[in-house]
Amino acid sequence: MRIFSPGLMTSPQTSLTRLRPVPIHGKVIVSEGEEVEANTVLGYYNPHGNITTLNLARELDISPFDVLDTLVKREGDVVFKGEVIARLRGLFSKREFRAPEDGVLERVSRYTGWVTIRGLPMPIHAGFPGVVEKIVPEEGVTLRLSGANIQGIFGIGGLVSGRLDVVPDSQFRVLDNEDVSSNYEGAVLVGGARVTPGYLQRAAKLGIRAVVTGGIHKRDLDQFLGYPLGVAVTGMEPGITVIITEGFGQLPMRSDIWAIVEEHKYMTVYASGSTQVRAGVIRPELFIPGPYRESVSVGEFSQEIAPGARVRVIRAPYFGKHGVIMSAPSLQTLPTESVVLSVQVRLDSGEVKTIPVANLEPAQGRQ
Amino acid sequence: MPSRSFLVLDCGSTTTKAVLIEEDDSKLSVRARTEAPTTVEKPVEDITLGVTMAVEQMETMVGRKLMKDGNFITPQREDEGVDFVGATCSAGGGLQILVAGVIKSMTAESAARAALGAGAIVSDVISIDDGRELYEKLTRIASIRPDMVLVSGGVDGGNVTSVVKLAEMLYAAGLRPRHGVGRIPVIFAGNRDAQSFVRDILSGVADTKMVENLRPLLETENIAPARQQIQETFMSHTMVQAPHYAQLADKMSVPVIPTPVAVGKAIEYIGESSNCRVMACDIGGATTDFFTYSEGRLMRTVSANLGMSYSICNVVAEAGIQAVQRFLPYPAEAHELSNTLANKMVRPTSLPATPAELAIEQAVARVALGLALKHHHEMNRGIRGMQRKRGLEDIFHQDPGTGPIVSSMNIDIIVGSGSVLSMAPRRSQAAAIMLDGLAPEGVTHLLLDSQFMLPQLGLISASYPEAAWRVLMDSALLRLGTVIAPVFAPCKSGTPLGKVYLLSDSGGRDEVMLRSGDLFALPCSGQTKIIVKPIGQVDVGAGPGRTYEGSTRGGAVGVILDGRGRPLPMPANEEAGIVEMLFQARALKTLSNEVLTDFARRGGLRI
């Protein structure tokens, strides 16, 4: 009988794939198998802020259904500011409509007469050294990367990059306003067993790109967000990215995380707070890219819950403690009177406890 | 070797359950039941692995090989395999909808109501006049990856242009499905004259569905068709979206069906065979499903925003942390409670390992049930003060727009399902959760899906109806007991409400005076007559002041006499609430003496 449990990856050297999205209406220009550097252009896309719509029918004082007949340019054509897009010739006069901005004539509606001009395409860079593993039509490019990867349990905010930095001597304490200074501007700042809303607000104000910490009180997260978070589906919140590695409460980060972070201090890293805790689970992560190596020992760990496996407890009353499984899973009666599949775990403190398999996750990497 | 065998699975958002049913000497029984965490998380991210884990546990329990090389062995032969393998699925989790309408205060608002009424979480409400710049709307739409989009706008025969603009905006934004696979469902519930344009614009990028206009006239709101379509699309599209779902479906003897559909079939059978009005609830990890069966009609709501793991914090967001504290038998700091629930949200497959944590989850279950029941009533209630287009559900109403379809007083049977109920360590805990969460009125029989098998039995009923229903009635459904809960005007605690007589066929007789504030249980098993003679205008189900006569077969908890009143009164303060819950625990024997004493000590009380 095999039992597997999802675990959070913490690996000093691993190979993983990440989708590098080229947003809508984008075009990918690299090929599968191509090696890329961080500044390689993967493709071009049209940012949403760069869009203009105008009522061409009203401008020319005609019915929407007649708009198409007046076009000088076609959908998909590049147009430049001041260039004639449409022309209406009367018996004694001529009316012209000129592009208000540079862009691409994206759509002309024969129903409403509206014209959409999207700004000129912007490049999207790889951001990481790696290899193009797969082109995903209209979605982007999947890159295979090498580097160190740390997954958290929950986060907010999107993908950002910055200089990896650490709040010294902070593994076991609470970080507040006074712990963050302008020296950390532009950083992905790691530290603390818990952070306060004041810390996050000050960090955001000082231009810190992301905060990585062990824990946070749920009420503090809600206060920072400005609303009570109901479901763990995040990643679109504006502002600073936050990654919680252990859970809600005051919980020191795992020592293997500290080791990786100290080793890569001041390097450019990537942090994503996107979290989705339902089918198609997404966890927040901190990625420290290394030079791409074709063959690298994949730091995958066994998720199997079996005797000898090293585990972390993810629920009270031993939340956060580490240990080693001493027995095969079997049905046991808990203090709740429930009968559930459980194992004996020798905690690092030396105690042996009966813990439900569902309350264990594999612990990997250096401890 | 059994003459027939059925292996049926339910892949929930949190756990995957496997049930083995065998027939020996024409007798069907549940041979074994196992469960494993649903495996939808990286790096595993394969729903079939959770299935394999549950089945391997079963193989160990029954000593029979059921799978080989990742496939089920069918049909059954000698000492291996089964005759039938089937699955229900709700692993896709909750429902997030993007709502788009033409006018914010009219069609967009009605559409949001439809989406909320369908039990969804509304990601955003976009309208032509919402004050945002076009690029802001497009950015927002593109950044949200909802499960579906609900579009409305224009009265029938009215504005088409604005509706078309809305559709073009959605097209320009680039709608993408959550899992990046297939097309995102778009439900259009606007001006019927705009349907062809909307379909023309969006059908290339979305799976478009047309329903009746939810605002056919300015003064008329008709959200039922949109709501129904949302629920159907949710079940057929979203709930079953799980990694490697197709591989799971390939291994089955029959198509996989959404869990609420399967449970609905079981509830219909219970209602039809008992000729009673039935209410049923199924509290899952991401959703709470409610069913009401009355006079040949089944109504179903899926509250996709209320559950015991993925949506557990949403229960608190809707009801407030005090609502959870109210049902705890010990004092708990609000922020520590919030942390506990948030940790469950992000680690949904974890289990309560201490009595205190179990009490927290059972308190949340009470709150979730109350909210989901309210949602169920609202989904099926008319709109006050507004001309209401009559729909199918209007058949039930005598007085449209003023009350729920079937009032609590008229419900004969309540069936509880879902892990928190079915797997509660004590049956009395399940009864207490249903009692507090659903607040039944009059005389109501409580049944429990004791092995959490309603979905599986509903599934096999399509192919083997007789087998399914025999197992349902003989093994799956457990009688918890009967609740006698009078409804009365507010009065002083201790006021006599009525005399209750229990006359068992075996000759036993109990006679008690039920008073305001009372809560206790009388043991009862076997056929027993119930007579309740209310005092004054107290109503126990036969009408104010009228004597009730009925019968019960008792159950695990017996007959529960609940004189607390309806709606359940709020305790005066935290200590009063804790005392109330401790007394409930003692009266209904939901906790051991040791745990009861420990909880009382935490509250500085003695019991």
Side-chain angles (χ1 to χ4, degrees):
Chain A
M1 175 168 63
R2 296 173 297 158
I3 306 288
F4 289 87
S5 181
L8 297 175
M9 173 180 283
T10 304
S11 175
Q13 184 62 50
T14 188
S15 174
L16 59 152
T17 60
R18 286 296 177 267
L19 181 67
R20 193 77 177 103
V22 176
I24 56 137
H25 303 293
K27 186 182 171 179
V28 174
I29 61 170
V30 291
S31 311
E32 287 184 8
E34 188 175 332
E35 278 199 33
V36 298
E37 295 299 324
N39 59 1
T40 302
V41 175
L42 298 178
Y44 292 88
Y45 77 105
N46 298 290
H48 289 297
N50 211 4
I51 193 165
T52 309
T53 58
L54 305 115
N55 192 336
L56 186 55
R58 188 193 298 152
E59 293 289 331
L60 295 178
D61 196 20
I62 57 176
S63 158
F65 296 104
D66 295 330
V67 155
L68 289 183
D69 295 336
T70 67
L71 289 178
V72 170
K73 292 287 193 177
R74 298 281 165 233
E75 285 182 359
D77 283 352
V78 174
V79 297
F80 297 98
K81 187 175 176 178
E83 191 175 359
V84 173
I85 295 177
R87 182 177 291 126
L88 178 69
R89 286 187 189 281
L91 271 178
F92 302 107
S93 64
K94 180 178 77 178
R95 246 177 278 152
E96 290 176 338
F97 181 78
R98 297 175 182 273
E101 303 287 344
D102 294 347
V104 174
L105 185 63
E106 183 170 278
R107 186 174 172 91
V108 182
S109 173
R110 61 190 170 91
Y111 305 113
T112 63
W114 282 78
V115 159
T116 303
I117 299 173
R118 196 177 288 277
L120 289 175
M122 305 273 287
I124 184 159
H125 297 94
F128 315 96
V131 169
V132 176
E133 186 162 276
K134 192 174 162 191
I135 310 286
V136 183
E138 293 193 14
E139 287 280 340
V141 171
T142 300
L143 296 176
R144 178 157 284 282
L145 318 168
S146 296
N149 198 51
I150 297 165
Q151 276 190 322
I153 191 68
F154 175 81
I156 57 172
L159 177 67
V160 297
S161 68
R163 176 191 81 253
L164 183 62
D165 212 331
V166 176
V167 178
D169 303 317
S170 65
Q171 187 176 2
F172 299 102
R173 63 186 182 89
V174 179
L175 297 183
D176 208 336
N177 306 44
E178 63 272 9
D179 292 302
V180 63
S181 73
S182 55
N183 293 338
Y184 294 124
E185 185 183 350
V188 170
L189 189 58
V190 179
R194 181 169 70 82
V195 296
T196 64
Y199 177 87
L200 294 177
Q201 281 150 9
R202 185 159 163 77
K205 203 168 168 186
L206 292 176
I208 289 163
R209 307 304 309 281
V211 161
V212 181
T213 187
I216 190 170
H217 284 325
K218 175 65 164 55
R219 69 175 175 197
D220 289 346
L221 176 71
D222 292 346
Q223 183 186 331
F224 178 68
L225 286 172
Y227 56 86
L229 184 92
V231 286
V233 179
T234 65
M236 296 170 292
E237 298 75 22
I240 194 168
T241 289
V242 180
I243 295 176
I244 308 297
T245 62
E246 308 306 314
F248 289 88
Q250 185 163 330
L251 300 157
M253 275 188 282
R254 310 186 288 283
S255 49
D256 53 346
I257 293 178
W258 284 101
I260 293 173
V261 167
E262 287 290 346
E263 189 179 328
H264 295 91
K265 214 156 91 169
Y266 308 130
M267 282 181 64
T268 297
V269 301
Y270 297 82
S272 169
S274 278
T275 306
Q276 177 170 277
V277 185
R278 51 179 188 159
V281 173
I282 300 170
R283 296 285 184 187
E285 59 186 5
L286 178 64
F287 179 66
I288 305 164
Y292 179 72
R293 286 186 267 162
E294 195 166 307
S295 60
V296 70
S297 88
V298 174
E300 296 293 339
F301 61 100
S302 169
Q303 278 82 36
E304 191 164 354
I305 298 293
R310 189 151 178 81
V311 289
R312 177 169 55 244
V313 187
I314 57 170
R315 190 101 190 227
Y318 310 113
F319 192 2
K321 297 198 188 309
H322 287 81
V324 175
I325 295 177
M326 307 298 293
S327 69
S330 64
L331 291 173
Q332 301 282 333
T333 303
L334 301 182
T336 57
E337 299 176 348
S338 299
V339 178
V340 302
L341 205 61
S342 305
V343 288
Q344 300 286 300
V345 177
R346 182 189 300 282
L347 300 175
D348 287 351
S349 60
E351 299 169 285
V352 177
K353 299 292 179 187
T354 300
I355 300 176
V357 164
N359 293 355
L360 297 172
E361 68 183 20
Q364 67 146 154
R366 287 174 282 171
Q367 295 296 319
Chain B
M1 178 171 116
S3 50
R4 274 195 303 179
S5 56
F6 309 86
L7 178 63
V8 248
L9 308 150
D10 176 54
C11 303
S13 58
T14 309
T15 52
T16 295
K17 283 76 67 178
V19 176
L20 180 63
I21 299 168
E22 290 180 342
E23 184 176 37
D24 269 313
D25 298 327
S26 304
K27 191 175 178 331
L28 279 156
S29 59
V30 176
R31 174 81 195 277
R33 189 195 171 282
T34 59
E35 69 177 64
T38 297
T39 44
V40 292
E41 180 155 0
K42 285 189 177 75
V44 178
E45 213 174 15
D46 179 351
I47 195 174
T48 62
L49 184 59
V51 167
T52 304
M53 284 199 288
V55 173
E56 285 183 351
Q57 287 178 48
M58 181 161 290
E59 288 177 332
T60 305
M61 278 175 78
V62 304
R64 184 158 117 227
K65 201 105 180 78
L66 300 170
M67 289 185 87
K68 187 177 176 184
D69 300 327
N71 292 308
F72 292 98
I73 302 168
T74 56
Q76 174 187 289
R77 45 181 183 260
E78 288 302 324
D79 60 350
E80 61 179 24
V82 286
D83 294 307
F84 172 95
V85 185
T88 59
C89 184
S90 60
L95 172 62
Q96 293 188 284
I97 294 187
L98 171 67
V99 168
V102 170
I103 303 293
K104 186 175 174 183
S105 62
M106 284 175 43
T107 48
E109 194 178 281
S110 291
R113 237 192 319 274
L116 288 169
I121 293 169
V122 176
S123 307
D124 205 332
V125 181
I126 307 265
S127 65
I128 302 285
D129 65 339
D130 66 16
R132 287 180 275 193
E133 295 289 338
L134 176 63
Y135 79 89
E136 287 176 309
K137 292 183 222 198
L138 295 178
T139 305
R140 181 72 179 138
I141 294 168
S143 64
I144 294 172
R145 299 284 289 253
D147 296 299
M148 70 179 76
V149 182
L150 175 63
V151 184
S152 64
V155 298
D156 284 339
N159 189 326
V160 170
T161 304
S162 296
V163 181
V164 169
K165 262 183 77 174
L166 192 63
E168 290 183 332
M169 183 173 65
L170 291 171
Y171 174 85
L175 295 169
R176 291 176 296 178
R178 170 158 66 99
H179 289 281
V181 176
R183 289 179 175 184
I184 187 169
V186 171
I187 300 171
F188 178 65
N191 181 359
R192 60 169 178 252
D193 295 341
Q195 283 185 358
S196 59
F197 298 107
V198 170
R199 187 183 288 116
D200 196 28
I201 294 165
L202 292 178
S203 60
V205 297
D207 179 13
T208 50
K209 298 174 195 302
M210 305 290 153
V211 298
E212 284 179 50
N213 195 342
L214 51 78
R215 209 64 186 255
L217 297 171
L218 274 181
E219 68 277 11
T220 301
E221 190 174 82
N222 176 34
I223 61 175
R227 220 171 42 198
Q228 188 61 31
Q229 184 62 59
I230 289 170
Q231 295 249 308
E232 295 298 333
T233 305
F234 174 51
M235 285 191 294
S236 63
H237 183 90
T238 309
M239 280 188 113
V240 295
Q241 287 293 331
H244 294 261
Y245 168 80
Q247 281 93 314
L248 173 74
D250 275 345
K251 296 175 195 288
M252 300 295 121
S253 306
V254 294
V256 178
I257 62 173
T259 304
V261 171
V263 174
K265 288 181 194 292
I267 301 307
E268 268 182 314
Y269 177 78
I270 295 170
E272 281 164 6
S273 59
S274 64
N275 197 27
C276 288
R277 284 171 290 249
V278 182
M279 176 180 284
C281 59
D282 178 3
I283 319 181
T287 70
T288 296
D289 309 338
F290 252 94
F291 308 82
T292 303
Y293 177 89
S294 177
E295 283 146 10
R297 298 284 189 183
L298 176 78
M299 287 185 330
R300 171 184 60 212
T301 51
V302 176
S303 295
N305 49 357
L306 301 171
M308 292 302 301
S309 58
Y310 294 101
S311 326
I312 199 167
C313 285
N314 214 52
V315 176
V316 175
E318 288 216 10
I321 196 70
Q322 301 87 344
V324 177
Q325 286 174 304
R326 183 250 183 275
F327 288 119
L328 284 176
Y330 60 87
E333 288 286 339
H335 88 272
E336 283 175 10
L337 199 50
S338 295
N339 285 346
T340 299
L341 296 177
N343 282 319
K344 172 79 183 191
M345 175 181 70
V346 294
R347 290 184 165 104
T349 56
S350 65
L351 295 172
T354 65
E357 293 233 327
L358 182 64
I360 291 172
E361 291 204 6
Q362 293 185 346
V364 173
R366 287 165 165 86
V367 177
L369 277 182
L371 289 174
L373 176 62
K374 189 173 156 213
H375 172 222
H376 183 67
H377 285 326
E378 283 169 357
M379 282 276 282
N380 303 299
R381 177 169 26 211
I383 300 159
R384 289 177 197 278
M386 203 185 268
Q387 200 180 52
R388 188 175 57 92
K389 191 165 161 118
R390 293 172 70 78
L392 191 60
E393 54 266 33
D394 296 337
I395 293 169
F396 295 116
H397 269 307
Q398 295 302 318
D399 182 20
T402 58
I405 287 291
V406 182
S407 75
S408 296
M409 183 63 84
N410 294 331
I411 292 292
D412 304 306
I413 295 173
I414 296 178
V415 181
S417 186
S419 280
V420 69
L421 295 175
S422 305
M423 300 295 119
R426 292 189 178 204
R427 300 301 188 196
S428 54
Q429 290 170 356
I433 293 168
M434 289 162 70
L435 188 65
D436 289 342
L438 302 175
E441 297 174 359
V443 179
T444 315
H445 307 290
L446 301 184
L447 300 182
L448 181 70
D449 174 12
S450 64
Q451 301 194 58
F452 199 2
M453 284 171 43
L454 280 186
Q456 292 95 326
L457 295 176
L459 170 73
I460 64 174
S461 69
S463 309
Y464 303 93
E466 195 203 312
W469 305 140
R470 273 163 60 188
V471 173
L472 177 71
M473 303 311 279
D474 294 345
S475 307
L477 285 184
L478 176 85
R479 284 189 189 77
L480 285 178
T482 299
V483 177
I484 300 173
V487 174
F488 50 93
C491 60
K492 213 165 94 175
S493 178
T495 303
L497 299 173
K499 205 76 178 286
V500 177
Y501 302 86
L502 300 179
L503 311 164
S504 76
D505 284 2
S506 59
R509 179 188 171 96
D510 273 305
E511 188 183 313
V512 294
M513 175 61 74
L514 178 59
R515 297 172 188 276
S516 166
D518 279 348
L519 177 65
F520 56 94
L522 296 173
C524 176
S525 57
Q527 193 66 26
T528 302
K529 188 169 181 183
I530 299 176
I531 300 172
V532 185
K533 294 183 178 176
I535 294 169
Q537 292 299 297
V538 173
D539 186 357
V540 289
R546 298 173 68 113
T547 297
Y548 171 91
E549 285 192 28
S551 66
T552 178
R553 286 169 67 179
V557 186
V559 174
I560 301 172
L561 282 82
D562 185 355
R564 295 177 295 174
R566 299 291 187 260
L568 284 181
M570 283 296 287
N573 50 49
E574 187 191 25
E575 185 177 311
I578 292 170
V579 168
E580 188 185 302
M581 293 306 293
L582 288 171
F583 274 112
Q584 182 194 81
R586 192 169 67 175
L588 301 182
K589 296 187 174 60
T590 59
L591 297 172
S592 67
N593 287 335
E594 187 188 333
V595 172
L596 207 53
T597 305
D598 176 55
F599 285 167
R601 180 188 51 76
R602 292 187 194 203
L605 302 163
R606 289 184 64 175
I607 190 163

